[in-house]
Structures are given as structure tokens and as C-alpha cells.
Amino acid sequence: MIFKLLVVDDEVTMRKGISNYMNWASIDCQVVGSASDGVEAMEFLKSQPVDIVITDIKMPAADGLEVARFVHENYPRTKVIILTGYADFEYAQTAIKYHVTSFILKPTNKKELFAAVQEAQKQLIVSQQQENIAKEGVFFLKDQLMQELTDHLCTEELKEKLLSLGLHMDCYYVAAFKPSSDEPDLSALKKIVIEEKKNTYCYRYNNLILNVYFQNQPSASVPEYILENCREISGIVKAFSSSEILTGISALHQSPEAFQTAVSEAIQALTHNFYSEQNISVFHTAGPEEPAELSVENSLDLYQIESSLNNWDFQEAASVSSHIFSKFKTSFTNSQDAKNICSQIYYICCRVMVKKELDPVPILYLEKLLGSRDIFALENTVTEIMEYTRENSMSAHAVPNYIIENTIRYISQNLAGNLSLDVIAQELHISPSHLSRTFKKATSGSLTEYINKERISKAKELLQNTNLLTYEIAEAVGYKDATYFSSIFRKYEGISPSEYKAKFFVAQSSHIPYN
């Protein structure tokens, strides 16, 4: 420990001699300032802490005794050594009154001054030790009292003890800090919380560190400085130990009788950390719903995912999965229940892959899913599982033939009806976008192009074999507007429907094949 000295003397030679030409470092001291009179010395003391003041007694403006009085009243830990050329008993009495450490007559030699400073050092060390012991005793009493208040109902006796120790429980929040590591260093965590504290009291409770944030007045929500303090603590722990800290914060409480409730809320909020990106969760009075398990609603969602995947409708499966996670987040579903339901999605994807004669989804995805620390990691993993299923299914089966077959069959059977992309997709239970992509990939043409060709082919058949009028044929093949039908027919055949029919009968009478 280095002791800081202030030298005060109106004589320049004395002041410089003591400040600059004595080996203070040899006795662990450092001169941090000097002053030419008492007023200047007192101003210096206001701006910078000092351990020992060496001052002359006779100075203009304010003398050494005035400095000693000022130190005694304002900085009682600082020691004062007075140098004087007057062996006056009255001065000595006054010096004792102000707890002056030493009263040395001038001329002063180096040895005598060093001895006086070393005596002051001893007194400072003893005083510091006594203060530390007293503080440790108070901390011990406070910790015992907070433990008692946590485990038992608040009595009048406990309320009196709280007040005697300066713990005013009339407006406060409680934060619970829980390390995520298997072997947490709670002592180190407590030290970090204490060092980062802002009007708080911190203590250990089982495997948690609890921190009480005292407020001057009630607030509608948790003040930002508390959230920021919690983020700082989490960041420090992560930087030095690479482990996460889960934090739960209670609602505001305004009496010592509510302290047990506040602690319970902070601990309960820890369970909501699964739904917090920053691992900091604030207690909500609504609380989590009952464990979800595999309800009828969950079963229906899972069935819909499996059905969609089997029908190659990956977009619909992803939509149902997103809906499941929205319900998790809204109801704060128990984390284990959420993981169980997501495990079912993994096994569904495995069954779908096997049914398509492919390898199941690798087990590492299930391990990653079960090890998810929060809802966001869990959702990302499920998305990865679904994407793995989609990519491997599509790469292994360039053309899912049954989709094309069913599409062609439906078009053939419904040429006169509404054959929009949405209608066909709905009938086949797949998404419009997936149907469009799959059909184009399989036939190298668009679905609309295929429908038009089929309709024109059927129209040619009707023109050849019936006496239906043009507008009747248009309706028979799904065109409500005869003019539009004629323009489409001309686009594909190069002539109008009536011209086609005339040429067909001319060719037929001449026994010439005509298409």
C-alpha cells in the first residue's frame, strides 16, 4: 500500500525540502501535493484524497491547527503531523483535541519525521483493519437477516432489524442470477454483482445470487438501469468464464412482508428465460400456462405437418411449424414440453424420409434440439430439420410423378371448370407455388400453357365430331368468352375455330387426314 502525503508550509525551502529531497518511497509514501498555507491545503483536500498531512503550524490565512480541525471534522481517516518552532503547551493541547498524530519541534531531522510518518501509517493500517472487521460483521448480519426474510414470514422484529441495518424495503425489485454451467462459481458471481451494484444489496441463496434493487419511488415497469445492470453483469461473466447467466426479475414490491413473494417471482421468471434472447426475463402476473404435453391441438398440428411433408407441400409444413412456435411464445409453454413436441417433428421428418426410401434425418439434429437453451435456438433447429427434409427429398426425387399424374388427371376431368392454379393446388392439397414449380420442372412448361393446349385439343375434337356452335364449344372447354376462346384457338392453330371446322370437312370429303 502506498500512502499519499500532503506537505503544507509557507516557507518555500522547507516545503520543497520535505517534498522533493526525502526518500519517501523507502517507507511506501508518495507526495501527491504541496500547499503554501492552510487555505490552499484545505482546497487541495477537497479535490484529492490524502492519507497523511505534514503541516507547519504558523502560516498566514489559516494555520496548521485550522488545517488539523478541518481534517478532523471532514476527513477523520486522514492523519495530521504538525511541525512547529514553538514549544507551547497550549498548541499541544489543541493538537491533541484534533487527534494530531505527532507534534514535532523545528528544526526537524529526517529520522524524526520518518518515524512520525511511520507511526501514522501504523494507525491507518489498524484503523483500516478495524473498519474491515466491522464491515464484515455488518455484512454477515445483513446476509443472515436476508436469508431469514427469504425463508420466513416478516415479523415486527425482522422489520426493526432491517431498519437498524439500513435496509429500507418500502420500494424494490428482486433479481435472481443463476449460472448455466454445471459447476458454477457463485462466489465470483457474487463479487461481480457487488462490484456492479447500483443501490442494491446482494446475497447468496442456495444455488442463486439474489440482488435487491432499492427504488426511491414506484415505477410502472422495471427501470432501464436495472435491465442494463443485469446485461452488464451477464456480459462480464461471459467474458471471463465463457458461461451464460440466466436472470429473473420480480415485479415491483413495496413492503418487507412481500419479500418472499418477490423472491418467488424472480425465481419463477428464470423459467421464462427459455423465451428471452438476452437470458433476462421479467415476471409477468399471468405466468405460464399448464404444461402443454401432447394435446389434441398439438396432435392435429403434428398430423398436418406429416401430411404436408408426405404430399411434398413443404411450405405448408413450415407454416404449421411457425404456428406451433407462435403458440409456445404466447403461452410460455414449459421448455421440456416444447422440446418434446419438437422431438415429434424430428421423428415425423424421419418417417417421411424413410417412406421415400431415403436415410432418416441425422440424430445430431435431435441432440441439438434437446440441448437448445432458448426458444429461438429450438425454433432454428426445427427449421434446419424441416429444410434438411425438403432439400434431400427434392434432390433424391427430381420429379414427384404422382403430383404430375394427379394434376393431369384433374385437368382432363375438369376442362370445363375453373382450372386456376389455386383451385388445382387446393384439390391436390399442396401449395400453389410448389405445384407451379414441380409441374414446370417436370414438363418444361407452365401449367397455364398445358391447360390451354388441353382445352384447344378438346375443342378440336368437338369441332370435328359435333355440330356445337363456337360459343358452346368455348363453354365446354372452360372459356366463358367466345371471342377470347377464338383468339386462343388462333394462337395455337393459326386459324379461327370456324375456319378449322370448314377445312376439316373439306379434307374429310376428300379423304385427306386433317389435324
Side-chain angles (χ1 to χ4, degrees):
M1 177 180 178
I2 301 298
F3 296 86
K4 297 177 180 180
L5 306 182
L6 172 64
V7 178
V8 188
D9 201 307
D10 60 336
E11 294 182 23
V12 177
T13 54
M14 180 64 74
R15 186 170 68 248
K16 287 186 175 181
I18 295 174
S19 299
N20 304 331
Y21 302 109
M22 294 184 68
N23 187 10
W24 291 115
S26 65
I27 58 170
D28 299 322
C29 288
Q30 176 188 5
V31 176
V32 294
S34 62
S36 60
D37 58 49
V39 173
E40 189 179 336
M42 287 185 279
E43 287 301 315
F44 183 91
L45 289 167
K46 291 176 184 178
S47 63
Q48 186 170 334
V50 169
D51 297 306
I52 302 169
V53 177
I54 302 172
T55 179
D56 187 17
I57 199 167
K58 274 288 187 180
M59 295 180 295
D63 63 15
L65 291 179
E66 183 63 21
V67 172
R69 183 193 63 77
F70 177 80
V71 169
H72 176 67
E73 292 177 356
N74 297 280
Y75 308 99
R77 287 190 67 256
T78 300
K79 301 302 176 183
V80 177
I81 298 172
I82 287 183
L83 308 177
T84 180
Y86 303 92
D88 191 310
F89 180 71
E90 185 178 341
Y91 280 131
Q93 277 189 316
T94 307
I96 293 170
K97 175 182 174 182
Y98 294 140
H99 295 176
V100 171
T101 304
S102 300
F103 191 79
I104 303 173
L105 291 174
K106 288 183 178 181
T108 305
N109 60 50
K110 173 183 173 182
K111 184 176 180 180
E112 189 177 7
L113 185 54
F114 269 16
V117 169
Q118 287 175 318
E119 176 59 30
Q121 289 174 320
K122 289 178 184 178
Q123 292 182 19
L124 286 169
I125 291 171
V126 171
S127 177
Q128 184 63 54
Q129 289 174 340
Q130 290 173 342
E131 283 184 19
N132 290 341
I133 292 171
K135 283 182 181 179
E136 288 176 6
V138 171
F139 286 145
F140 177 75
L141 290 174
K142 284 184 176 181
D143 273 11
Q144 272 197 325
L145 182 57
M146 296 306 292
Q147 292 281 351
E148 191 173 355
L149 193 62
T150 305
D151 291 327
H152 301 90
L153 294 175
C154 183
T155 63
E156 288 300 320
E157 183 182 357
L158 285 178
K159 289 169 70 174
E160 289 177 6
K161 287 182 179 179
L162 286 168
L163 291 175
S164 69
L165 292 173
L167 296 170
H168 300 284
M169 311 289 289
D170 50 2
C171 191
Y172 60 92
Y173 291 89
V174 173
F177 298 96
K178 182 180 185 299
S180 60
S181 60
D182 295 329
E183 297 181 357
D185 187 348
L186 290 174
S187 297
L189 173 57
K190 182 179 178 182
K191 183 178 180 182
I192 290 171
V193 174
I194 290 172
E195 289 178 352
E196 292 297 313
K197 69 182 180 180
K198 291 175 171 48
N199 191 27
T200 70
Y201 188 76
C202 163
Y203 67 103
R204 176 174 176 171
Y205 182 71
N206 295 329
N207 64 336
L208 303 173
I209 296 297
L210 298 181
N211 203 26
V212 185
Y213 289 88
F214 301 106
Q215 302 294 292
N216 294 325
Q217 58 186 15
S219 54
S221 60
V222 178
E224 179 58 32
Y225 87 88
I226 292 180
L227 297 173
E228 182 59 31
N229 184 231
C230 292
R231 287 192 284 266
E232 288 175 0
I233 291 167
S234 179
I236 293 169
V237 171
K238 190 170 184 179
F240 285 94
S241 65
S242 299
S243 64
E244 299 284 348
I245 291 292
L246 305 181
T247 306
I249 303 174
S250 74
L252 178 73
H253 290 277
Q254 295 179 267
S255 71
E257 288 85 354
F259 189 72
Q260 275 190 319
T261 301
V263 172
S264 296
E265 289 175 355
I267 294 172
Q268 188 174 339
L270 286 172
T271 64
H272 295 178
N273 266 291
F274 191 68
Y275 294 89
S276 171
E277 288 183 283
Q278 295 183 323
N279 290 331
I280 298 173
S281 184
V282 178
F283 176 80
H284 296 285
T285 53
E289 292 186 353
E290 291 299 315
E293 299 181 346
L294 204 56
S295 66
V296 174
E297 187 179 7
N298 298 143
S299 299
L300 185 60
D301 287 337
L302 293 173
Y303 170 78
Q304 192 171 353
I305 286 177
E306 187 160 9
S307 177
S308 298
L309 291 176
N310 280 327
N311 289 326
W312 301 81
D313 194 348
F314 300 103
Q315 182 175 337
E316 176 62 20
S319 176
V320 176
S321 173
S322 178
H323 176 64
I324 289 173
F325 275 94
S326 293
K327 289 189 289 187
F328 286 165
K329 295 170 186 175
T330 301
S331 61
F332 288 108
T333 300
N334 178 281
S335 60
Q336 191 56 54
D337 286 334
K339 289 181 180 180
N340 289 341
I341 292 170
C342 291
S343 297
Q344 293 299 316
I345 296 177
Y346 166 80
Y347 290 120
I348 284 171
C349 290
C350 287
R351 287 198 298 271
V352 169
M353 296 289 282
V354 171
K355 188 174 181 179
K356 294 174 181 176
E357 299 181 351
L358 300 170
D359 291 334
V361 181
I363 192 69
L364 64 90
Y365 284 100
L366 178 61
E367 293 170 352
K368 186 177 178 181
L369 184 153
L370 296 175
S372 299
R373 290 193 177 276
D374 55 51
I375 192 69
F376 308 100
L378 184 64
E379 186 170 15
N380 286 337
T381 303
V382 169
T383 300
E384 289 175 5
I385 292 170
M386 302 276 279
E387 185 62 19
Y388 179 93
T389 305
R390 186 192 71 80
E391 287 184 355
N392 284 271
S393 297
M394 295 300 291
S395 62
H397 296 267
V399 181
N401 292 327
Y402 82 94
I403 293 181
I404 304 305
E405 291 170 0
N406 289 346
T407 302
I408 291 173
R409 185 181 302 112
Y410 183 82
I411 291 171
S412 177
Q413 294 172 352
N414 295 274
L415 279 176
N418 182 356
L419 290 178
S420 69
L421 179 62
D422 289 341
V423 168
I424 299 173
Q426 185 175 357
E427 287 294 328
L428 299 181
H429 305 291
I430 59 178
S431 70
S433 59
H434 178 59
L435 173 59
S436 178
R437 288 195 304 269
T438 303
F439 194 93
K440 189 170 185 178
K441 187 173 183 180
T443 64
S444 300
S446 70
L447 184 61
T448 301
E449 187 79 7
Y450 178 83
I451 292 170
N452 281 333
K453 286 181 179 179
E454 287 297 298
R455 281 174 163 167
I456 296 303
S457 177
K458 181 65 176 178
K460 287 164 61 178
E461 181 183 334
L462 293 174
L463 287 167
Q464 293 174 15
N465 300 314
T466 71
N467 291 319
L468 294 174
L469 299 175
T470 299
Y471 80 88
E472 292 175 317
I473 292 175
E475 289 182 354
V477 295
Y479 295 106
K480 304 303 180 185
D481 186 332
T483 303
Y484 179 70
F485 163 64
S486 294
S487 67
I488 293 294
F489 192 98
R490 184 181 292 278
K491 174 184 175 183
Y492 285 95
E493 298 300 322
I495 56 178
S496 68
S498 57
E499 290 172 338
Y500 176 89
K501 187 167 186 173
K503 284 189 175 185
F504 172 76
F505 282 112
V506 169
Q508 189 180 43
S509 62
S510 304
H511 304 287
I512 300 172
Y514 184 74
N515 265 327

